[in-house]
Amino acid sequence: MVAEKWNFPEFITETITHHHSPLDCPEKYRDIITIVYLSNMLCEIEKKNFEMSYIETAILEDMGLTERKDFDGFLDTIKTRFEIHYYSIRN
């Protein structure tokens, strides 16, 4: 892997390796890998490529997002916070 050849820190190489398969990652890096995985999935959902059912059930359970209303509320919060931040730095 290029990241290893470039001597990236282990947490980065592990995140790159497991960001599509967070359940297979080392426990030591589970939090960061889960964040990157979920971020990637939310982007795909926004692009209409995926839907909530594509997300690993264990990840939704860990995040307390197994109910559709909770997941939708989480997604709305993320979008709102992004928009507030994005427009605040552009002005």
Side-chain angles (χ1 to χ4, degrees), residues 35-51:
I35 290 167
V36 172
Y37 166 79
L38 193 54
S39 298
N40 182 63
M41 296 301 288
L42 294 176
C43 289
E44 293 299 327
I45 288 169
E46 278 300 295
K47 292 189 289 186
K48 308 287 189 233
N49 292 333
F50 292 166
E51 54 189 54

Side-chain angles (χ1 to χ4, degrees), residues 4-70:
E4 290 171 339
K5 288 182 181 184
W6 290 350
N7 295 316
F8 281 23
E10 183 180 34
F11 81 94
I12 293 177
T13 60
E14 289 295 325
T15 301
I16 293 167
T17 300
H18 297 286
H19 76 280
H20 289 295
S21 56
L23 303 180
D24 298 331
C25 74
E27 185 64 34
K28 180 178 178 180
Y29 303 115
R30 183 160 313 256
D31 288 347
I32 187 66
I33 292 169
T34 297
I35 290 167
V36 172
Y37 166 79
L38 193 54
S39 298
N40 182 63
M41 296 301 288
L42 294 176
C43 289
E44 293 299 327
I45 288 169
E46 278 300 295
K47 292 189 289 186
K48 308 287 189 233
N49 292 333
F50 292 166
E51 54 189 54
M52 179 185 169
S53 63
Y54 284 57
I55 299 174
E56 295 282 356
T57 303
I59 301 297
L60 292 172
E61 288 171 354
D62 288 348
M63 300 293 292
L65 299 172
T66 56
E67 299 294 324
R68 185 69 201 208
K69 66 177 178 51
D70 296 331

